[in-house]
Amino acid sequence: MRGAQLSDGHLWLHFTRTSDWRGDAPNVPVLERGEGCYVWDANGTRYLDGLSALFCVQVGYGRPEMPAAAEAQMRKLPFATNWGTAHQPAIDLAAALTERFPGDLDHAFFVNSGSEAVESALKLARQYHAANGQPNRYKVVSRNFAYHGTTLGALGVTGLAGARTPFEPLAPGMFHAPNTNEYRCQTSLHCPPCDLTCAMAIERIIVAEGPETVSAVFVEPVQNAGGCFTPPPGYLQRIREICDRYGVLMVSDEVICGFGRLGRWTGAERYGYLPDIITFAKGVTSAYAPLAGMLFRRHIGDALATGRASMFVHGATWGGHPVSCAVALANIGVFESEDVLGNVQRNEVWLGEQLHELMARHEIVGDVRGTGYFWALELVADRERKVMFTNEQAEDLLRGFLSARLLELGLIARADDRDEPVIQISPPLVADREVLGELVGILDQVLGEAQKRMRH
Ligand SMILES: Cc1ncc(COP(=O)(O)O)c(C=O)c1O
């Protein structure tokens, strides 16, 4: 099989147009190795990874610590389950996470992907309510355009029509409220500044559906899809109050925002609220091995641990694989020995300023939003009047130009149009100002070119 090409079509890609990789001129890089914040493709071309692969290579590529931990664990005990047995790496990781996550988020349950983590939270919430004598609480509220995964339960929580529609009907009882898009607020005439009408919209759904039927509200601390919608001041606290008022669980989906993306271990810590469940994945191992899971609070653990026959009726063979847990522990070690969170905290304001300077220079940028190492630039046809590009223009801009041009100039970023067109950046958390400056410099050039192209 040596010499097989991506264009042969044996390997099928995720969420990637077939026209991008099958046929005579595939334009998807085949990546071969990585070092620090950079990756190289099979032709030896170097790219700055401005997306940390997919929001996950927190401590960068080529580190010795995680391979060493993986090898040691593979030699000692390559596998044991957390299903009827347990193993030390999972026990140690659960303890390490509970120490670093806020409040009484004291219990950890491990799976393999973010979607599975969301599935697990859906099921945990249902079982919690049933254990409290409320088995009819099954409905879930999340937000428009939010991405919470692709398996059929998680897809119900996802609020992206393009991802959902081909698979409908999905599980019943999934509702989507407006998100916190302050640039194009659709709920309040007075925004900005936000008057939290968007939070009240969640409450209205709960009340309309009957609180005794609602299980959970899912929110990301900063919503990725649509382009880094940050929470307005008091928004997440208001969601917490609403959940408490109606006995609904609050799930903070931190598959992207956890593990330093916002400069703290969790988005909950960053914004000062305590959810009932935090889901996580990606950055827990800095992507050196697949691992995901959820941490949940004591009252949930207590409700599920009553009676001899009690158990969480959920499991996965690989959930909390010992090699992945050992890798996650090594990753936490790197975070702490190199003050990775401190690096993000020291540079995030500076990075935001650089991106705002890009906006000042390029009229095509209508909005810059984000925090930590998690930012988006929304592209507009007319900044003055916030006019969006037509679908054809957006297609031409993103697929006809930006995606390829960014790669040509050696930057992996995301040109995304799941809502309005945005360029998303999410560099490794170890990136210093030199690397960030290089990233901003490439964006500067590409935005200038994009502006000229769209003018014509
Ligand atoms: C917030 C959020 N939840 C869930 C998921 C699903 O994670 P996975 O792709 O690991 O299934 C993602 C993936 O990007 C995500 O961003």
Side-chain angles (χ1 to χ4, degrees):
M1 287 303 288
R2 274 189 76 80
Q5 298 290 319
L6 177 62
S7 55
D8 294 343
H10 298 306
L11 172 68
W12 206 267
L13 299 190
H14 301 218
F15 279 127
T16 308
R17 289 185 181 183
T18 46
S19 55
D20 284 346
W21 53 275
R22 296 190 79 181
D24 294 337
N27 60 17
V28 173
V30 177
L31 299 177
E32 209 166 67
R33 68 187 178 90
E35 192 64 41
C37 299
Y38 297 89
V39 288
W40 283 259
D41 71 13
N43 301 319
T45 306
R46 188 189 86 155
Y47 304 91
L48 198 180
D49 185 0
L51 205 59
S52 302
L54 201 51
F55 315 100
C56 45
V57 187
Q58 315 298 68
V59 301
Y61 298 89
R63 317 238 15 158
E65 299 86 348
M66 277 71 87
E71 185 182 350
Q73 186 59 43
M74 280 186 182
R75 289 187 187 286
K76 191 171 173 188
L77 178 69
F79 183 61
T81 64
N82 288 302
W83 179 327
T85 62
H87 53 77
Q88 203 58 45
I91 293 168
D92 291 345
L93 181 61
L97 296 182
T98 57
E99 263 174 41
R100 288 161 183 81
F101 279 38
D104 62 342
L105 284 154
D106 279 353
H107 308 293
F109 182 86
F110 296 122
V111 286
N112 306 287
S113 72
S115 299
E116 274 185 76
V118 169
E119 296 286 341
S120 306
L122 284 168
K123 292 174 83 171
L124 184 70
R126 291 275 293 270
Q127 234 195 293
Y128 165 77
H129 292 303
N132 286 335
Q134 299 188 297
N136 292 332
R137 283 188 182 264
Y138 69 93
K139 295 176 185 167
V140 166
V141 186
S142 55
R143 300 179 300 175
N144 291 334
F145 295 106
Y147 183 89
H148 293 283
T150 49
T151 50
L152 287 173
L155 189 58
V157 187
T158 287
L160 284 161
R164 297 166 54 90
T165 310
F167 307 103
E168 283 171 351
L170 294 166
M174 302 293 190
F175 297 87
H176 298 94
N179 55 46
T180 57
N181 182 350
E182 284 185 88
Y183 183 58
R184 298 185 189 280
C185 179
Q186 283 163 8
T187 52
S188 167
L189 294 175
H190 310 292
C191 176
C194 179
D195 55 12
L196 300 187
T197 314
C198 43
M200 278 147 60
I202 291 181
E203 181 169 24
R204 270 202 300 277
I205 294 174
I206 295 174
V207 171
E209 288 303 313
E212 71 287 353
T213 67
V214 181
S215 171
V217 171
F218 279 70
V219 285
E220 286 171 272
V222 175
Q223 182 177 313
N224 174 42
C228 290
F229 295 131
T230 50
Y235 172 83
L236 291 161
Q237 288 73 12
R238 181 65 62 83
I239 302 288
R240 177 69 274 178
E241 284 164 26
I242 292 167
C243 287
D244 287 343
R245 191 170 309 139
Y246 299 106
V248 170
L249 294 184
M250 179 180 185
V251 182
S252 189
D253 183 355
E254 307 218 6
V255 165
I256 289 180
C257 293
F259 296 93
R261 184 60 48 206
L262 310 183
R264 304 282 192 284
W265 285 114
T266 61
E269 181 190 343
R270 165 73 178 75
Y271 288 111
Y273 63 101
L274 185 59
D276 298 293
I277 303 174
I278 289 183
T279 50
F280 61 87
K282 302 188 188 266
V284 59
T285 58
S286 282
Y288 280 74
L291 182 71
M294 57 181 175
L295 257 71
F296 53 94
R297 288 176 59 191
R298 238 172 268 156
H299 58 277
I300 301 179
D302 291 347
L304 259 71
T306 48
R308 270 195 72 224
S310 67
M311 69 170 163
F312 181 31
V313 190
H314 187 49
T317 304
W318 301 135
H321 194 293
V323 175
S324 298
C325 291
V327 166
L329 286 162
N331 182 47
I332 290 172
V334 173
F335 262 73
E336 288 180 340
S337 64
E338 299 185 12
D339 190 21
V340 171
L341 299 178
N343 187 56
V344 176
Q345 288 166 26
R346 284 187 293 278
N347 291 321
E348 61 180 328
V349 172
W350 183 83
L351 175 58
E353 285 166 0
Q354 302 302 302
L355 297 173
H356 278 95
E357 277 179 28
L358 287 183
M359 179 160 90
R361 277 204 290 285
H362 302 289
E363 290 223 329
I364 195 171
V365 182
D367 192 28
V368 170
R369 45 189 187 251
T371 188
Y373 273 22
F374 189 38
W375 292 85
L377 296 88
E378 181 166 332
L379 307 181
V380 290
D382 176 347
R383 179 155 78 188
E384 198 75 11
R385 292 178 298 138
K386 292 192 185 177
V387 177
M388 306 165 187
F389 287 111
T390 62
N391 288 347
E392 294 72 33
Q393 286 173 327
E395 173 74 15
D396 175 55
L397 177 62
L398 265 62
R399 305 230 160 59
F401 176 68
L402 277 176
S403 303
R405 188 64 182 137
L406 286 164
L407 284 177
E408 260 169 35
L409 293 175
L411 176 63
I412 296 177
R414 189 181 206 181
D416 191 26
D417 62 351
R418 287 179 294 181
D419 190 0
E420 297 313 315
V422 290
I423 299 182
Q424 285 185 298
I425 61 157
S426 179
L429 308 185
V430 292
D432 59 17
R433 291 193 186 186
E434 198 180 325
V435 172
L436 298 174
E438 183 184 341
L439 187 159
V440 171
I442 297 174
L443 285 179
D444 196 11
Q445 180 173 343
V446 172
L447 289 168
E449 292 175 6
Q451 193 158 300
K452 270 195 203 130
R453 180 186 176 94
M454 296 320 278
R455 247 192 232 135
H456 297 126

